[in-house]
Amino acid sequence: MGLLAGVSLSVFLLPGISMPGGFSLGALMVPLGLFLIITQLISAWPENIRTAPPLMVLMLAAIGIVQDFLIWLLVSWAADQLDLSLAIDGVLPMVWGAFVVRLTALAFLALPSRVPEREAEGA
């Protein structure tokens, strides 16, 4: 859920990442799909962010930001190859996009789960 929110926020709020031909669900699916696939293959998340040591969270966040930057670089290339209406203007928007995606995802991980502890233990 955090990746969906982070990629969407990056596309709609950051000035260097845009959809010049107007909103296109297909153009939004490319970054979402790449982020979901790559983050599932290369996981840079703590098991439980609420109980992880702060140094570990900071280290994994830094590694994750580099990973997300490389994914934005891949998204930029894929959008050019597939002729999608997704434009990323330079390296700085990719860096900001990486920060937005990673911080949004970590914020969603830090939210308490909705499953009560008694039900989670009995499952």
Side-chain angles (χ1 to χ4, degrees):
M1 190 67 163
L3 288 175
L4 172 67
V7 171
S8 299
L9 281 172
S10 295
V11 169
F12 293 117
L13 294 181
L14 293 178
I17 302 174
S18 62
M19 293 184 175
F23 176 75
S24 167
L25 191 57
L28 188 59
M29 285 297 134
V30 169
L32 281 174
L34 287 173
F35 269 94
L36 288 172
I37 290 168
I38 293 173
T39 54
Q40 289 300 314
L41 293 174
I42 306 168
S43 180
W45 308 104
E47 285 294 317
N48 188 352
I49 195 169
R50 291 182 295 272
T51 60
L55 185 60
M56 183 175 141
V57 173
L58 286 174
M59 182 183 68
L60 288 174
I63 292 168
I65 289 170
V66 171
Q67 175 185 340
D68 291 345
F69 169 77
L70 293 173
I71 296 171
W72 276 116
L73 192 61
L74 180 64
V75 165
S76 176
W77 175 81
D80 286 342
Q81 296 299 315
L82 298 173
D83 239 0
L84 296 173
S85 66
L86 180 67
I88 303 174
D89 304 326
V91 174
L92 194 57
M94 289 183 214
V95 171
W96 284 113
F99 274 107
V100 169
V101 169
R102 186 56 49 165
L103 294 179
T104 305
L106 288 174
F108 270 80
L109 281 174
L111 292 175
S113 65
R114 291 185 175 186
V115 178
E117 287 185 28
R118 286 182 280 169
E119 289 180 18
E121 291 172 2

